Amino acid sequence: MLLKFFYKVLSEEKTGDSKYTISILINEKHDVFKGHFPGNPIMPGVCMIQIIKELTESITKSTLIMQTLSNVKFMALINPEVNPELRLELDIVTTEEDLVKVKNTTYFNDTVALKLSNVYKKI
């Protein structure tokens, strides 16, 4: 974990051949939120991208490096004091070239917060 004690995995479920649903709890007291932003904490987008990478590494049991980020849409602000629990739906496909293609949708409650498509390379 790049940021220690930033989040913890509450549950992980394989829902299809390449599909996973993972629930995480964000630590709203983490130092990241002291600067982003004081009095109005907002989840940094780069932290969400890192969480997706770490979860994908855990599922694939591989060390990954990002190759492409073809689509990322932040749909709603995540305030960890209001919505600390997130649900990530991941579709992970590994190719013969050691590439890992990921499609993600992240939710808090029924609100879509993030949609992301990217490709990692196994290293």
Side-chain angles (χ1 to χ4, degrees):
M1 188 179 292
L2 187 62
L3 293 172
K4 292 185 189 234
F5 311 113
F6 188 64
Y7 69 96
K8 75 176 179 179
V9 175
L10 299 174
S11 68
E12 179 180 322
E13 179 184 2
K14 186 169 184 175
T15 57
D17 287 342
S18 62
K19 297 183 186 300
Y20 299 83
T21 298
I22 302 170
S23 293
I24 64 170
L25 183 67
I26 302 298
N27 175 6
E28 76 271 8
K29 304 287 187 213
H30 197 276
D31 286 346
V32 163
F33 299 114
K34 291 179 183 173
H36 202 270
F37 295 96
N40 187 26
I42 305 280
M43 171 69 81
V46 69
C47 291
M48 281 307 307
I49 292 169
Q50 181 65 26
I51 289 170
I52 293 165
K53 177 183 179 274
E54 290 174 2
L55 295 174
T56 303
E57 286 177 324
S58 175
I59 290 166
T60 62
K61 297 179 181 25
S62 303
T63 302
L64 303 172
I65 186 166
M66 190 180 301
Q67 289 288 296
T68 61
L69 181 60
S70 58
N71 188 19
V72 62
K73 293 181 182 176
F74 296 98
M75 314 287 278
L77 297 175
I78 300 170
N79 180 331
E81 291 178 348
V82 177
N83 297 297
E85 192 170 325
L86 303 177
R87 183 178 81 251
L88 292 89
E89 295 179 355
L90 299 167
D91 187 354
I92 301 171
V93 176
T94 302
T95 70
E96 293 177 11
E97 298 84 24
D98 280 340
L99 297 177
V100 179
K101 297 179 179 183
V102 177
K103 290 184 181 177
N104 164 260
T105 304
T106 299
Y107 301 85
F108 58 84
N109 302 317
D110 291 327
T111 300
V112 175
L114 168 66
K115 288 188 173 192
L116 174 142
S117 297
N118 62 355
V119 177
Y120 300 103
K121 172 96 173 137
K122 290 185 179 181
I123 54 173

